Amino acid sequence: MARLAGVSHTTVSRYLQDENSLKPKTRIKVEFAVKTLDYRPNLVARSMRTRRTNRLAIVLAAGPHFPGPLLAAASETAHRAGYQVEVVSVEGGPRARSARIDDLARSGQVDGILAISSIDLKSRRSRQVPVVENESLDEKLHVLNELADATEVREIIEYLSSLGHRTFLHVAGAQNYASGRKRKSVYLETIERLGLRSVGAIDGDWSAQSGYDAITSLPDDCGVTAVVAANDVVAMGVIRGARARGWEVPDDLSVFGWDDEEICRFTTPSLSTVAVDRAAQGRDAVHRLLAAIRGEPAPEPSKRTLNRVIIRESTAPPKGVVPQ
């Protein structure tokens, strides 16, 4: 491979350990050689030589909301670095997950462990492999920390206000979710700060039905012209409920969602929303684990905007209003 790519054996080795460690031009050369020769590493031989298993474990709570994008990005990042990944879903709380991590660390079957749900530090024993914590998910796999950030609600309301909207409704997510609580809190704070009017912040359950029920239950003279929904599914329910009342979106009512589900790019109207880069957390967490395995300093998080407001057809100025 080195001869075909025109690089040193060391460079090929670096590529096989972490392709992102090479300059783009060099990486392309090595990738060409790998594909041309149809190279596949012999993991058994590598394990005997390096005394490593080339396997990682990702430990998380057991729950109904599988974090697909985060795990997919984490697994892809590990695979590119030459590792296989085992996802371990553990029933019980932080102590149970910590005990499972202890078992994995002593088993000799993995080179490192990534915990994306909380673990019990007090019960941690001396471990033979690196353990990296990235507490993105709670006990029911609801998002936490960065992924639950609600700053963009402020940006959404400021944008809608600039279009001329003065009366708002928020259909919130379930309040046992950190993300639901934070979005509601930022909504209320921003409405008060800007001196706007809210006809309610109605607690929902993340379902389209909750959005439909919230909008159809409003009195005819409520005056609402803009809705901030907890997620895209709720927003779809709001739009369907508005049409059931004879209101058109966005002519009579502007609607904002959250999550940037693919289907919402193709609805009529297409939905204004917030794109959430869950994959970035998965990639960054694995890069931290790989650095710990190699005895290197933890890398800086990738430069990214985790949440990004996207304006589409479901938002417009109120009828008769010229935006300032």
Side-chain angles (χ1 to χ4, degrees):
M1 277 198 299
R3 184 165 55 250
L4 180 59
V7 299
S8 68
H9 292 83
T10 303
T11 299
V12 172
S13 177
R14 285 174 55 202
Y15 170 88
L16 295 174
Q17 293 179 36
D18 183 2
E19 64 181 52
N20 292 318
S21 65
L22 301 183
K23 295 179 180 179
K25 186 176 180 179
T26 305
R27 185 173 67 243
I28 290 172
K29 291 180 180 179
V30 180
E31 284 176 349
F32 174 78
V34 168
K35 291 178 181 178
T36 301
L37 298 173
D38 194 24
Y39 172 80
R40 284 171 173 70
N42 185 323
L43 297 182
V44 173
R46 179 186 290 181
S47 177
M48 293 175 64
R49 184 179 72 254
T50 65
R51 297 185 180 180
R52 290 184 175 176
T53 67
N54 294 100
R55 295 178 62 84
L56 306 178
I58 300 178
V59 177
L60 70 161
H65 305 288
F66 192 73
L70 190 154
L71 286 179
S75 296
E76 181 184 5
T77 303
H79 293 160
R80 287 178 176 273
Y83 288 86
Q84 299 299 310
V85 176
E86 177 182 359
V87 177
V88 182
S89 178
V90 181
E91 298 279 354
R95 185 167 297 179
R97 286 190 293 279
S98 188
R100 183 72 178 103
I101 286 173
D102 282 328
D103 291 341
L104 285 168
R106 293 195 303 271
S107 71
Q109 296 177 359
V110 297
D111 295 332
I113 302 167
L114 171 63
I116 60 174
S117 293
S118 60
I119 58 178
D120 187 349
L121 297 179
K122 293 181 181 179
S123 68
R124 179 180 291 181
R125 302 171 190 172
S126 176
R127 292 176 177 142
Q128 298 174 347
V129 300
V131 177
V132 167
E133 297 172 65
N134 185 272
E135 296 180 4
S136 304
L137 307 168
D138 70 8
E139 301 306 300
K140 296 184 179 180
L141 301 184
H142 303 162
V143 296
L144 295 172
N145 302 323
E146 255 193 314
L147 289 179
D149 183 57
T151 304
E152 285 69 28
V153 171
R154 185 176 301 117
E155 183 179 344
I156 289 168
I157 296 174
E158 290 173 347
Y159 169 73
L160 291 169
S161 175
S162 74
L163 295 181
H165 292 279
R166 294 294 177 266
T167 303
F168 290 74
L169 170 70
H170 177 48
V171 187
Q175 295 301 287
N176 60 330
Y177 286 62
S179 54
R181 293 192 302 272
K182 288 183 179 180
R183 289 171 202 173
K184 180 178 178 179
S185 175
V186 174
Y187 168 84
L188 293 172
E189 177 271 323
T190 307
I191 290 291
E192 181 178 3
R193 177 174 58 84
L194 297 179
L196 302 169
R197 176 172 175 256
S198 173
V199 299
I202 301 173
D203 292 346
D205 59 4
W206 307 105
S207 70
Q209 188 67 52
S210 69
Y212 182 93
D213 292 343
I215 202 70
T216 55
S217 66
L218 294 175
D220 291 337
D221 61 352
C222 66
V224 65
T225 63
V227 177
V228 180
N231 67 8
D232 292 340
V233 175
V234 174
M236 290 295 99
V238 169
I239 291 173
R240 183 66 185 86
R243 287 181 172 167
R245 300 190 63 146
W247 297 351
E248 292 299 323
V249 176
D251 293 344
D252 300 305
L253 188 72
S254 285
V255 180
F256 239 102
W258 191 292
D259 281 335
D260 192 26
E261 300 286 355
E262 183 178 12
I263 187 64
C264 295
R265 305 172 199 174
F266 303 99
T267 55
T268 303
S270 57
L271 183 65
S272 294
T273 187
V274 177
V276 182
D277 192 356
R278 292 177 173 86
Q281 281 226 332
R283 289 190 293 269
D284 284 350
V286 171
H287 282 308
R288 286 173 55 205
L289 180 57
L290 294 175
I293 291 171
R294 298 166 184 157
E296 300 171 353
E300 292 292 326
S302 59
K303 293 182 179 179
R304 77 234 195 278
T305 301
L306 192 62
N307 295 340
R308 180 167 51 91
V309 174
I310 298 176
I311 309 299
R312 296 199 180 106
E313 297 168 345
S314 66
T315 51
K319 280 183 178 179
V321 174
V322 177
Q324 299 177 354

